[in-house]
Amino acid sequence: MALAKEIMGSSLIHRSPQWLLSSSSNSKSKPPVFHFLQMRNENTSSSVRLITKAAGFPFAAVTQDLLNKASTSTSTSTTPSLHVKKEKPVEFKVRAVVTVRNKIKEDFQETVVKHFDAIADSMIGRCIFLELISTDIDPKTKGPKRSKEAVVKDWSKKSNVKAERVTYTAEFIVDSDFGDPGAITVTNNHQREFFLETITIEGFATGPLHFPCNSWVQPTTNYNPPKRVFFSNKPYLPRDTPVGLRVMREKELKNLRGDGKGVRKLSDRIYDFDTYNDLGNPDRGVDFSRPTLGGPQQYPYPRRCRTGRPPTDTDLRAESRVEKPHPMYVPRDEQFEESKQNTFFIKRLKAVLHNLIPRLKASLSINNHDFNDFSDVDDLFSKGLLIKSSLKDQSSVFNKIPLPELVTKIQESSQGLLKFDTPMIISKDKFAWLRDDEFARQAIAGINPVNIERLQVFPPVSKLDSKIYGTQESALKEEHILGQLDGMTVQQAIEEHKLFIIDYHDLYYPFLEGINSVDGRKSYATRTLFYLTPLGTLKPIAIELSVPPSSGGSKQVVTPPVDATTNWLWQLAKAHVCANDSGVHQLVNHYLRTHACMEPFILAAHRQLSEMHPIFKLLDPHMRYTLEINGIARQNLIHADGVIESCFTPGRYCMEISCAAYKNLWRFDKEGLPADLLHRGVAIPDPTQPNGIKLLIQDYPYATDGLLIWSAIENWVRTYVNHYYHGHDGHLVCNDKELQAWYSESINVGHADLSNESWWPPLNNNEDLVSILTTLIWTASAQHAALNFGQYPYGGYVPNRPPLMRKLIPEEGDAEYRDFMANPQKYFLNSLPSLLQATKYMAVVDTLSTHSPDEEYLGERQQPSIWCGDAEIVEAFYAFSAEMRRIEKEIEKRNSDPTLRNRVGAGVLPYELLAPTSQPGVTCRGVPNSVST
């Protein structure tokens, strides 16, 4: 053994499989004859040769220098002579370890098919085949070198194993000059798909080779071509692709693009673009018809994943719908994994939509009463809502609703009571939501902290076309706010950066006539002014409420109260602002800016970036589940008469408002956090600061925590990009055909309606790429988390953030003014959503705010050594993970600092929406890698 260590080096022996070093069974009777096979040693400049027995089995590896010495040694040596055989390669065995993930639960049909597959496998024994593909070219075929096919062993024997993951083995026979494996093909001759996690190849002198798969392998009858291709974890830029893999790399991308024809099957892996032409269902009647989003100038919108369904009978421009509970097509590998399906979203949301809400409607239709007292709202959390009293012979609403213990937030008592968990906003202080300082605090530390801007012109100016909407002069005057400015004039307050505004006037005003014509929907276009106090907190100082001429054409200004009557008018004005804010939050900031605008980049990544591309590997965890969640949204949430239309003020105009925001407000170059803060005027350039900006509201929790995460992402991305694109002259970036095709298609196809805008960032060098990737990762992770996971903690108490309003503010002389004066509390509560609307909304946002147990958070990756075959990058990722842990501790520290009044105080919720990690459930914290809820 000492001689072997001297010849081979102990490190090589230690990492070589034992069977690689074993002798044949006849070694005792006959001295082994060794042959030397030349290979490259990646750690030295010398070549390496394998010593093999005459039977063709590899024994060890020695360097070329030692072989030269051995060949010149004298014949008197006691060591048997070594015969060098260069002209003919020999065959040897390598082993594949295949990891397959089992389904946790199978239906009867799946169980039967699995049983038949096991029988066929035991009888034939040749059902799952693997084939190694070399990075080298075969001089005879001019194609890549291929191993002989290997059969996956013991499939039938392990068919009844209940473990989540099962490993199988296969043995390959390869030639000594095979080179490095760069790909594996998998053929599934079963009748049933299976989920392939990884394949590890053992037996090559370079050590184990990893092939991350994480994909469903379809039966040959479902998939064309029948062989699936998986590449090794080693990343390659297109120009560096080994010759043996180039054609296969291009062919795999072509397969993923498809031909843009036909109806997609659920088993397909085709990524293509289409417009949002499936939100309506005109076959049900004109009330269910909706315009196509994307394409026409009137309704520009990002593209979504194409399904290819036939048109409706009534409108050939509208795609027929797949109605719940049937699944919407997304590429097979984009569908939720079973753990997420079973424990979180699909079954839980579908249970709410398909079972709970219809039964609520049935229960409450006779007496679909309003909230008449605040105790009625409190009862939803303390006593529960009786939902079965009017139903005869009906089983429990919850019999069909699987709510796992970890994430259960809605419970039913034995008396038929639907009971919600107490939202965090009232858990510390039941009346916090009534205070003006809390109303203002939520503008910078709540669920929608991204719309506040610095006021730079007073009065505010509308940008609407005056030829269409008339002159839109603001009703705000200096006398409305002068007494709230601590002795300053309005101009002084503007110059000293003390005035801020949330302006929803232009976004809502064009739709108010349609909204207010619907029974039970009443809205204003609002503007809200805030003053930055010496304590660093904001206080609301005026609210402007506008309605178009068809609704009276009034513009009124409501200011902080001075007596009982004005106090209730002020509360109503704030509620209308919150209803505006809820709509903009859900339709613009949440769905449009994070869900819809990310989808084109994801589709283009799968179509144009090979899985071998280092940028695809970087983006991969940040694309997880997004196509699936967007498909569920189109089917269950944002479609005609869906949850969003029924629960939010704009109703059938919801997605049209989203379109208007995309057309007039969204800009990719302003989606990065520092650029957004500068664009809104809440920060100014300052090169002395870490991000080059200075916040004008120092205690702005979303911004201060967000900038920490933005910097961490940016530093990680810059390290990653500069590692693969050496030099900073942009040559490698400009000449990366896959990278340029991805970015071009994302803009020109995925965002075709805005593709001609001059603000799209260029992609000419490393810094351009760093900026684009940082923006995408920030949007998919931290920005989405800040906008999503507080929906129930803040919105679950409907008076705090009503998603819709049903009454305008009464004015003297109105018939309703007498009712208001007689019982202002009842008038206020009757202006909020009805009991049915509120409980439906609460049930859905509870689900949307829930973390699933399989969540992967920012700074986490499953098996980093497998997703990236580059040790330096894995090490850099560990540094990024450590930085995320440091940020989490810093956020904890800030949430205990009494000088930061927007996150610390009596009854004040700490700001944890950007704290990186979370437990499962509704926690109001945690930053997952991707848009998945």
Side-chain angles (χ1 to χ4, degrees):
M1 192 65 178
L3 178 60
K5 286 188 177 182
E6 181 180 347
I7 295 175
M8 294 180 289
S10 59
S11 63
L12 184 58
I13 288 180
H14 290 161
R15 71 181 182 184
S16 300
Q18 290 299 313
W19 60 265
L20 189 66
L21 303 177
S22 62
S23 302
S24 63
S25 58
N26 62 355
S27 60
K28 293 182 180 179
S29 58
K30 184 177 180 180
V33 178
F34 300 99
H35 303 291
F36 292 87
L37 314 175
Q38 185 163 320
M39 301 179 66
R40 290 296 300 175
N41 184 338
E42 60 184 1
N43 297 319
T44 67
S45 60
S46 62
S47 60
V48 174
R49 296 188 179 186
L50 289 177
I51 307 175
T52 68
K53 299 179 184 179
F57 201 77
F59 180 80
V62 295
T63 64
Q64 179 68 54
D65 295 339
L66 290 174
L67 288 175
N68 292 338
K69 292 178 181 178
S71 64
T72 56
S73 62
T74 63
S75 58
T76 57
S77 172
T78 58
T79 303
S81 62
L82 302 176
H83 304 285
V84 177
K85 189 172 184 179
K86 298 180 180 179
E87 67 281 358
K88 185 179 180 180
V90 297
E91 294 181 338
F92 66 102
K93 292 181 181 179
V94 295
R95 186 175 75 137
V97 178
V98 180
T99 302
V100 172
R101 187 163 67 221
N102 278 337
K103 283 193 173 183
I104 301 171
K105 294 181 180 179
E106 297 175 340
D107 58 31
F108 177 74
Q109 182 179 357
E110 289 174 328
T111 302
V112 171
V113 174
K114 180 180 179 180
H115 181 67
F116 280 123
D117 283 341
I119 293 174
D121 199 270
S122 63
M123 294 176 63
I124 303 173
R126 298 176 62 83
C127 291
I128 308 295
F129 295 94
L130 308 180
E131 184 183 37
L132 281 180
I133 310 297
S134 175
T135 56
D136 296 338
I137 289 291
D138 189 325
K140 295 180 181 179
T141 65
K142 306 302 180 184
K145 293 180 181 178
R146 297 173 179 267
S147 72
K148 296 178 181 179
E149 283 192 326
V151 179
V152 174
K153 300 177 180 179
D154 298 331
W155 193 278
S156 60
K157 293 181 180 180
K158 297 181 178 181
S159 62
N160 292 322
V161 173
K162 301 300 182 183
E164 183 179 359
R165 288 171 176 80
V166 180
T167 58
Y168 303 89
T169 60
E171 288 186 347
F172 293 98
I173 303 295
V174 296
D175 290 336
S176 54
D177 61 355
F178 183 78
D180 295 327
I184 291 178
T185 65
V186 181
T187 304
N188 177 12
N189 288 329
H190 286 162
Q191 301 178 60
R192 183 173 178 264
E193 66 178 4
F194 64 88
F195 190 85
L196 180 59
E197 276 199 342
T198 62
I199 300 176
T200 300
I201 304 298
E202 300 171 345
F204 285 92
T206 52
L209 300 169
H210 299 292
F211 292 78
C213 305
N214 295 310
S215 178
W216 290 97
V217 179
Q218 299 298 323
T220 53
T221 53
N222 287 357
Y223 189 73
N224 185 30
K227 293 184 177 181
R228 279 295 309 277
V229 177
F230 298 100
F231 297 103
S232 75
N233 67 332
K234 187 173 183 180
Y236 295 103
L237 293 176
R239 70 165 201 164
D240 299 327
T241 308
V243 291
L245 302 179
R246 289 176 184 172
V247 173
M248 190 169 288
R249 178 173 183 152
E250 294 176 0
K251 187 175 181 180
E252 178 68 3
L253 284 173
K254 184 178 180 181
N255 290 336
L256 291 171
R257 295 180 198 127
D259 58 7
K261 300 177 181 178
V263 179
R264 297 269 62 89
K265 298 180 297 183
L266 293 177
S267 59
D268 284 347
R269 295 172 58 248
I270 305 297
Y271 297 80
D272 204 356
F273 298 92
D274 207 345
T275 58
Y276 278 67
N277 61 349
D278 62 342
L279 299 182
N281 190 352
D283 292 345
R284 290 182 61 189
V286 66
D287 289 341
F288 295 92
S289 180
R290 295 292 181 271
T292 294
L293 310 186
Q297 282 296 313
Q298 187 178 1
Y299 301 111
Y301 215 63
R303 299 303 187 258
R304 50 94 172 177
C305 182
R306 179 184 178 275
T307 63
R309 297 189 303 272
T312 61
D313 296 332
T314 308
D315 186 351
L316 296 179
R317 296 168 298 179
E319 186 175 86
S320 58
R321 286 184 53 78
V322 174
E323 298 294 353
K324 53 193 180 186
H326 302 292
M328 182 88 75
Y329 169 78
V330 294
R332 183 65 181 99
D333 292 338
E334 304 304 315
Q335 297 171 26
F336 286 163
E337 294 178 10
E338 190 180 10
S339 60
K340 189 174 181 74
Q341 290 179 349
N342 288 339
T343 59
F344 171 53
F345 197 84
I346 288 183
K347 290 189 177 179
R348 194 157 184 251
L349 179 60
K350 285 184 177 179
V352 168
L353 295 175
H354 307 162
N355 295 289
L356 173 60
I357 290 176
R359 285 164 174 76
L360 280 173
K361 288 181 178 179
S363 292
L364 302 175
S365 58
I366 298 175
N367 185 24
N368 186 9
H369 59 276
D370 300 325
F371 295 110
N372 293 314
D373 191 277
F374 282 107
S375 62
D376 294 341
V377 184
D378 297 338
D379 285 349
L380 293 175
F381 315 113
S382 59
K383 296 179 180 179
L385 172 69
L386 185 64
I387 60 175
K388 295 193 298 183
S389 58
S390 62
L391 301 182
K392 296 181 179 179
D393 301 322
Q394 179 170 295
S395 61
S396 170
V397 170
F398 288 81
N399 285 345
K400 297 181 180 180
I401 303 182
L403 296 177
E405 183 179 351
L406 280 175
V407 294
T408 297
K409 291 296 169 188
I410 307 170
Q411 302 171 346
E412 186 202 20
S413 72
S414 59
Q415 290 79 34
L417 295 174
L418 173 66
K419 186 177 178 181
F420 291 84
D421 268 13
T422 302
M424 290 183 183
I425 185 60
I426 59 170
S427 62
K428 287 188 172 184
D429 183 352
K430 184 178 178 180
F431 303 104
W433 66 277
L434 284 166
R435 299 196 315 266
D436 283 358
D437 64 295
E438 177 61 23
F439 171 78
R441 189 190 75 85
Q442 290 184 34
I444 55 177
I447 188 55
N448 190 38
V450 298
N451 281 110
I452 192 165
E453 304 175 72
R454 176 163 53 94
L455 183 67
Q456 302 185 52
V457 175
F458 187 86
V461 178
S462 171
K463 297 179 182 178
L464 293 175
D465 189 342
S466 60
K467 295 179 181 178
I468 300 175
Y469 300 106
T471 302
Q472 295 297 305
E473 292 181 359
S474 173
L476 287 162
K477 306 298 181 184
E478 188 164 350
E479 56 263 28
H480 290 129
I481 63 174
L482 198 59
Q484 303 283 339
L485 305 182
D486 293 338
M488 287 187 288
T489 66
V490 173
Q491 189 58 38
Q492 285 176 323
I494 290 175
E495 291 174 355
E496 296 187 22
H497 307 153
K498 296 294 185 181
L499 289 178
F500 296 84
I501 186 172
I502 294 180
D503 190 346
Y504 294 139
H505 178 278
D506 288 5
L507 197 54
Y508 272 87
Y509 195 86
F511 299 95
L512 287 181
E513 187 172 346
I515 293 171
N516 290 340
S517 66
V518 178
D519 289 341
R521 300 292 171 98
K522 291 296 180 283
S523 179
Y524 297 98
T526 66
R527 290 185 175 111
T528 308
L529 291 185
F530 299 89
Y531 174 69
L532 181 62
T533 71
L535 293 176
T537 58
L538 294 171
K539 69 175 181 179
I541 57 176
I543 295 172
E544 181 186 35
L545 306 168
S546 301
V547 291
S550 59
S551 300
S554 68
K555 288 179 182 291
Q556 59 179 305
V557 175
V558 184
T559 55
V562 294
D563 58 20
T565 301
T566 54
N567 177 71
W568 280 108
L569 293 174
W570 179 244
Q571 295 298 337
L572 282 167
K574 290 195 297 182
H576 274 283
V577 171
C578 288
N580 269 197
D581 191 72
S582 293
V584 173
H585 162 257
Q586 199 67 261
L587 304 170
V588 179
N589 299 327
H590 182 205
Y591 188 76
L592 170 67
R593 293 175 62 185
T594 65
H595 285 257
C597 287
M598 277 295 297
E599 187 157 354
F601 291 96
I602 294 170
L603 290 170
H606 285 281
R607 290 166 54 86
Q608 303 296 344
L609 294 175
S610 167
E611 292 183 3
M612 288 189 285
H613 201 293
I615 300 305
F616 183 91
K617 291 180 179 291
L618 175 69
L619 289 176
D620 187 41
H622 306 292
M623 303 187 291
R624 185 188 189 209
Y625 293 154
T626 302
L627 298 185
E628 172 81 341
I629 195 66
N630 287 2
I632 291 172
R634 297 201 316 277
Q635 185 182 46
N636 295 317
L637 299 176
I638 64 174
H639 67 296
D641 200 36
V643 172
I644 300 300
E645 286 194 1
S646 62
C647 291
F648 288 83
T649 297
R652 64 174 297 142
Y653 303 99
C654 278
M655 293 308 293
E656 292 184 34
I657 287 180
S658 192
C659 280
Y662 181 65
K663 179 180 181 180
N664 300 316
L665 301 177
W666 186 81
R667 291 180 49 160
F668 182 78
D669 64 328
K670 304 301 182 186
E671 288 300 286
L673 180 59
D676 171 57
L677 296 171
L678 289 170
H679 181 64
R680 290 190 281 124
V682 294
I684 57 176
D686 185 346
T688 66
Q689 298 297 315
N691 294 280
I693 63 172
K694 177 184 177 181
L695 290 172
L696 298 179
I697 305 174
Q698 292 296 307
D699 183 14
Y700 186 173
Y702 159 79
T704 54
D705 293 358
L707 287 170
L708 294 177
I709 294 178
W710 171 272
S711 294
I713 294 172
E714 186 178 47
N715 291 336
W716 153 238
V717 171
R718 181 173 286 109
T719 299
Y720 192 96
V721 166
N722 290 340
H723 178 80
Y724 291 106
Y725 295 91
H726 306 292
H728 301 277
D729 58 0
H731 174 76
L732 290 179
V733 169
C734 288
N735 289 281
D736 186 333
K737 61 179 183 180
E738 287 185 7
L739 183 71
Q740 294 293 333
W742 162 68
Y743 190 54
S744 175
E745 187 172 72
S746 298
I747 296 171
N748 295 313
V749 181
H751 287 279
D753 302 331
L754 300 181
S755 61
N756 293 325
E757 297 292 341
S758 60
W759 42 253
W760 283 103
L763 181 53
N764 296 327
N765 53 48
N766 289 24
E767 280 305 302
D768 291 344
L769 181 56
V770 169
S771 176
I772 292 165
L773 293 174
T774 302
T775 297
L776 291 174
I777 294 172
W778 159 262
T779 301
S781 58
Q783 180 78 322
H784 176 262
L787 295 166
N788 183 73
F789 293 104
Q791 290 188 80
Y792 187 79
Y794 282 93
Y797 188 72
V798 171
N800 179 60
R801 281 183 61 80
L804 65 82
M805 294 293 284
R806 295 184 292 151
K807 294 184 178 183
L808 295 176
I809 297 176
E811 298 183 19
E812 287 190 59
D814 292 347
E816 290 187 327
Y817 192 77
R818 289 190 299 273
D819 296 334
F820 165 71
M821 293 296 290
N823 193 339
Q825 175 181 273
K826 182 178 179 180
Y827 188 94
F828 177 85
L829 289 169
N830 288 175
S831 298
L832 302 182
S834 68
L835 180 60
L836 174 60
Q837 290 168 328
T839 50
K840 180 194 298 188
Y841 169 76
M842 291 163 64
V844 172
V845 297
D846 170 73
T847 301
L848 296 175
S849 303
T850 302
H851 288 291
S852 62
D854 76 332
E855 206 87 86
E856 188 179 84
Y857 295 95
L858 194 61
E860 296 179 353
R861 288 237 183 144
Q862 298 174 359
Q863 301 171 308
S865 62
I866 292 180
W867 69 259
C868 184
D870 191 316
E872 289 186 34
I873 289 302
V874 172
E875 190 67 27
F877 182 76
Y878 284 143
F880 173 60
S881 299
E883 178 63 11
M884 296 308 298
R885 292 193 295 271
R886 188 196 70 79
I887 289 171
E888 188 153 31
K889 292 180 180 178
E890 175 61 24
I891 291 174
E892 291 175 2
K893 180 180 177 182
R894 291 175 177 181
N895 283 329
S896 61
D897 184 347
T899 66
L900 301 177
R901 290 176 171 83
N902 290 317
R903 54 204 311 163
V904 180
V908 174
L909 289 184
Y911 188 75
E912 297 181 309
L913 283 167
L914 289 175
T917 64
S918 173
Q919 296 297 316
V922 178
T923 62
C924 205
R925 60 176 291 141
V927 181
N929 275 323
S930 62
V931 177
S932 58
T933 51

